Amino acid sequence: MKTILAIHTGGTISMSQNQNGEVVPNDENPLAKEQVILKGQINLITDNLFNLPSPHITPQIMLALKQRILQAIEKGVDGVVITHGTDTLEETAYFLDLTLPNTIPVVLTGAMRSSNEIGSDGLYNFQNAISVAATPESYGKGVLVAMNDEIHTARFVTKTHTTNVDTFRTPTFGPIGIVTQHKAKYFQELIRTDVCEIDHVISGVYLLKAYAGMDGDLFSALDNKKTHGIVIEGLGAGNLPPQTIPAIQQLLRHQIPIVLVSRCYNGVAQKIYDYAGGGIQLEKMGLILCQGLNGQKARIKLLVALSSQKKGTDLRHFVSNAVS
């Protein structure tokens, strides 16, 4: 019999509609007492660790979640399922993917419809996530996200629709598997996963999005001692308006690492264009091109790297490497 720890953190999956049709948190998580489908095969342990809407989740809470999972691993659980609000689910999932040892399956799930809505997807996704965590083939695949019968990697999955139950997608690469007949079936996997050990998280890591006519004002506003790192969602393959360059150069002179990704839904940041503000010039200036991650994931990766206690960590290699 598999022992699975279910950690509930809040979010829509634990909420209900009130009489006015507004979705609000419950005092008690309606999933906490649910019995799973695989009776006799699953020993489910429940921990109502948090009861927070996902916009209330912080890196400090992600770290507490990581520490709770490490305790469970030490006690010999076979897998962990985490229910989470969908707005920041991908960020928590990737934080855990970067900081947990790749040993037992860790699976995040959530819901787009609250527990008492018609067509609520919470219980279904929860039971599917338990099935994924209990499947032997789920070992060694990094942190996973199970939603709407699909299995995605924490590294590349993202929320793509504000309300649709099919919101979680993996641009460019697609899901790595599906859930069928209460079991995970995989068709591809990541090349490699790396772990970056941290015992705290720093503040002052920011995310900016480029736009037509952008100047250096936002960058200048971040040029202070509280800023430890910046991620920019650049235009196209990774380009910026030339008016931003002087302020960015000043940030680099102050030893503030700047990571560049693309604001595009598909594709990766690349050094293709050699003009003022083009990707080639930006890399020569010292920006770190991060391939394959969106802005919020790149920010989590930079935050983890800067919070790492590991001496001699090559920040540029770790953040830019698309396979870790």
Side-chain angles (χ1 to χ4, degrees):
M1 182 180 290
K2 295 275 189 178
T3 297
I4 304 297
L5 171 65
I7 302 175
H8 298 294
T9 68
T12 300
I13 194 169
S14 67
M15 297 181 185
S16 299
Q17 280 187 333
N18 63 19
Q19 60 185 5
N20 298 320
E22 301 158 338
V23 178
V24 296
N26 292 306
D27 292 333
E28 294 184 4
N29 189 331
L31 286 181
K33 297 180 180 179
E34 289 286 352
Q35 298 297 312
V36 297
I37 291 174
L38 302 176
K39 293 181 179 179
Q41 300 178 45
I42 300 293
N43 173 30
L44 187 67
I45 303 170
T46 300
D47 185 350
N48 292 299
L49 189 60
F50 302 111
N51 187 21
L52 297 170
S54 59
H56 297 192
I57 299 293
T58 65
Q60 289 74 22
I61 291 172
M62 296 176 194
L63 182 63
L65 185 55
K66 172 233 178 185
Q67 292 167 339
R68 176 65 182 92
I69 296 169
L70 288 177
Q71 293 172 4
I73 292 173
E74 290 177 1
K75 292 183 178 180
V77 300
D78 298 300
V80 175
V81 169
I82 302 164
T83 63
H84 196 289
T86 59
D87 286 354
T88 59
L89 184 150
E90 64 189 89
E91 288 161 89
T92 296
Y94 191 48
F95 179 94
L96 296 175
D97 189 59
L98 288 170
T99 59
L100 283 173
N102 189 15
T103 52
I104 66 170
V106 175
V107 186
L108 280 83
T109 194
M112 296 303 294
R113 296 172 182 158
S114 60
S115 61
N116 62 344
E117 286 186 70
I118 295 174
S120 174
D121 53 332
L123 178 58
Y124 183 79
N125 284 336
F126 179 50
Q127 292 184 332
N128 271 354
I130 292 170
S131 297
V132 172
T135 300
E137 289 79 10
S138 297
Y139 281 78
K141 287 187 167 54
V143 174
L144 302 170
V145 173
M147 294 281 291
N148 204 39
D149 288 328
E150 293 182 339
I151 307 169
H152 298 262
T153 66
R155 188 181 307 166
F156 297 125
V157 72
T158 190
K159 185 174 181 178
T160 66
H161 195 285
T162 55
T163 57
N164 196 308
V165 295
D166 193 26
T167 181
F168 279 90
R169 302 288 185 90
T170 297
T172 306
F173 309 117
I176 65 169
I178 60 173
V179 184
T180 179
Q181 297 180 318
H182 312 311
K183 186 177 180 181
K185 291 187 179 295
Y186 294 98
F187 303 98
Q188 57 180 326
E189 62 183 16
L190 295 176
I191 298 172
R192 190 180 77 240
T193 59
D194 290 330
V195 176
C196 190
E197 179 58 38
I198 63 173
D199 59 11
H200 73 288
V201 286
I202 66 169
S203 59
V205 180
Y206 301 103
L207 173 61
L208 297 178
K209 188 168 188 171
Y211 53 85
M214 188 181 197
D215 59 25
D217 288 352
L218 292 175
F219 296 101
S220 295
L222 292 176
D223 190 6
N224 58 68
K225 293 182 179 179
K226 293 183 179 179
T227 299
H228 294 115
I230 298 172
V231 174
I232 308 171
E233 289 187 5
L235 307 171
N239 310 298
L240 292 172
Q243 297 91 334
T244 65
I245 299 303
I248 290 174
Q249 289 174 324
Q250 186 68 9
L251 287 165
L252 292 171
R253 279 193 287 268
H254 291 158
Q255 304 298 308
I256 296 174
I258 302 176
V259 175
L260 181 68
V261 299
S262 173
R263 72 176 191 178
C264 295
Y265 175 75
N266 273 301
V268 299
Q270 303 176 67
K271 49 180 183 179
I272 296 176
Y273 294 100
D274 192 8
Y275 51 67
I280 292 175
Q281 183 199 43
L282 295 175
E283 188 188 50
K284 288 179 180 178
M285 284 170 49
L287 272 67
I288 303 170
L289 269 66
C290 179
Q291 296 187 325
L293 297 181
N294 59 23
Q296 56 266 34
K297 296 278 185 68
R299 176 184 172 270
I300 290 293
K301 193 166 193 181
L302 179 58
L303 184 150
V304 166
L306 293 171
S307 302
S308 173
Q309 296 301 293
K310 184 177 179 181
K311 302 300 182 183
T313 298
D314 186 333
L315 181 68
R316 178 174 294 274
H317 175 77
F318 179 77
V319 175
S320 65
N321 195 343
V323 299
S324 63

